[in-house]
Amino acid sequence: MPRPEVLERIKTAETEAEEIVEEAEADREERIAEARERADEIRAEAETEAEEMADERLSEAEAEIEARAEEIREEGQAAREELIAQAEERMDEVVEYAISQFEEAVHAQT
């Protein structure tokens, strides 16, 4: 093969190699961009899921707190009613005691 032909084939091979390298680099950049985009999507999905889970847990905690608060209110109301009943039961006794104390004080003065 004559020398100019060999040089031309080498030049053609180099051009083809450069094109292959350029295509590979472009493909690599495209894949990297796709991977970054997918990573951003996954991150956004994870953040959304985490927010939903946090909201759900917060709602559950609020419901538990409200239920416990209602129990405490009911217990307080029951205790209040018990105290009122006990006080009403002792009302006559207290009135009698107050009257006897008053009478003793009046007799002590006379």
Side-chain angles (χ1 to χ4, degrees):
M1 223 189 312
R3 193 174 180 159
E5 262 182 48
V6 171
L7 289 176
E8 188 60 37
R9 289 181 84 185
I10 291 173
K11 223 177 187 182
T12 302
E14 285 178 345
T15 303
E16 288 176 2
E18 286 175 5
E19 289 174 359
I20 290 170
V21 168
E22 286 175 5
E23 276 183 38
E25 287 177 354
D27 187 47
R28 178 183 70 119
E29 292 300 320
E30 184 178 330
R31 287 178 188 239
I32 289 172
E34 289 173 357
R36 286 185 177 142
E37 184 177 318
R38 181 64 185 135
D40 288 343
E41 289 172 3
I42 291 170
R43 187 178 305 111
E45 289 171 6
E47 287 175 359
T48 300
E49 187 176 322
E51 287 175 4
E52 289 172 357
M53 288 176 65
D55 289 344
E56 183 178 327
R57 287 182 180 165
L58 179 61
S59 294
E60 289 172 358
E62 288 173 343
E64 287 177 19
I65 290 168
E66 182 56 35
R68 182 64 183 130
E70 183 61 28
E71 286 177 21
I72 291 169
R73 283 191 291 270
E74 289 173 1
E75 289 170 3
Q77 181 65 27
R80 178 180 176 268
E81 290 172 4
E82 176 71 21
L83 288 172
I84 290 171
Q86 289 175 359
E88 287 174 352
E89 286 176 7
R90 297 191 66 203
M91 185 70 75
D92 291 338
E93 185 180 323
V94 171
V95 169
E96 285 179 29
Y97 176 77
I99 291 173
S100 70
Q101 291 296 312
F102 177 74
E103 287 174 348
E104 284 179 24
V106 168
H107 289 301
Q109 288 180 356
T110 56

